[in-house]
Amino acid sequence: MTSLWVHLSQLGDSRWLLPLALTLMLAAPAASATLRWHWAVALAIAASLTLASKLAFLGWGIGLARLDFTGFSGHATMSAAIYPVVAYLAAHGRCRAPRGWAVAGVVLAAAIAWSRLPLNAHSLSEVVGGWLLGTAASVAALSARPAAFTTPPRTLVLALCMGLLVPLTMPSVRTHDLVVRLATELSGRDSVFARHHPDR
């Protein structure tokens, strides 16, 4: 069962999700421009809030101890902010109900978010908060009413390839390590706060 959670969790890796999303933002059909603009803004806000929450705790110990909250789960946030819109872009023009595919993306994101719990990567509040934040970003993006369009298969394949590029070519790079380094540089501390830090 542990392997299932590990594989699900890997689907929420920002190294794969962000290049995938960025490629679609840039290469999807022009008729979807309004949707993609809404998506870019919403995703940037969700990512910024997630990063800020992590830096606040790691660098300065700012969190919600009563909720065991040390920052939004990046896997939960990014999955919920990206998979529903990707599914919608892939299904639009091909299926009668592309929003149904977006809902499937939300469900997949929920499963990915939940996988972080048995892996002891996050608390329930961090997972639920991240999933809600990411879902709000997807809803904001999909609130746009695009004209008829169909994303070409080559664009979808390109997005998948770009998404796989970083994990396959730089498997040792971990976004969490980058966040930790940024937190120490900004705060001037030699080490970051831990979940059960005595100063918290």
Side-chain angles (χ1 to χ4, degrees):
M1 193 63 173
T2 300
S3 62
L4 171 63
W5 300 130
V6 170
H7 291 316
L8 268 176
S9 183
Q10 289 173 339
L11 291 176
D13 192 335
S14 294
R15 296 177 303 169
W16 129 266
L17 285 174
L18 289 177
L20 168 71
L22 181 59
T23 302
L24 287 174
M25 287 176 189
L26 296 175
S32 65
T34 301
L35 184 154
R36 289 182 286 125
W37 172 249
H38 285 201
W39 189 24
V41 173
L43 181 57
I45 292 173
S48 296
L49 289 174
T50 300
L51 177 60
S53 69
K54 290 177 178 291
L55 291 176
F57 178 77
L58 292 172
W60 294 271
I62 301 173
L64 298 173
R66 293 182 62 182
L67 296 178
D68 196 17
F69 182 85
T70 65
F72 294 111
S73 164
H75 282 65
T77 304
M78 293 298 100
S79 295
I82 292 175
Y83 279 118
V85 183
V86 169
Y88 181 86
L89 289 172
H92 196 280
R94 293 186 173 89
C95 305
R96 288 186 175 182
R99 290 185 183 273
W101 287 90
V103 172
V106 171
V107 174
L108 173 60
I112 293 170
W114 186 262
S115 73
R116 306 299 284 167
L117 296 176
L119 295 177
N120 296 314
H122 284 287
S123 68
L124 181 61
S125 64
E126 294 161 358
V127 164
V128 172
W131 181 80
L132 289 174
L133 177 59
T135 300
S138 283
V139 169
L142 296 175
S143 65
R145 300 291 182 178
F149 72 89
T150 302
T151 304
R154 64 178 179 276
T155 301
L156 297 174
V157 172
L158 175 63
L160 290 173
C161 291
M162 293 303 294
L164 291 170
L165 184 62
V166 174
L168 291 179
T169 59
M170 294 183 285
S172 62
V173 175
R174 297 177 65 245
T175 54
H176 180 70
D177 293 338
L178 299 177
V179 174
V180 168
R181 181 175 178 180
L182 181 59
T184 55
E185 291 185 356
L186 290 176
S187 66
R189 292 175 55 87
D190 295 328
S191 61
V192 296
F193 281 82
R195 185 177 296 275
H196 301 295
H197 196 284
D199 294 339
R200 187 178 173 204

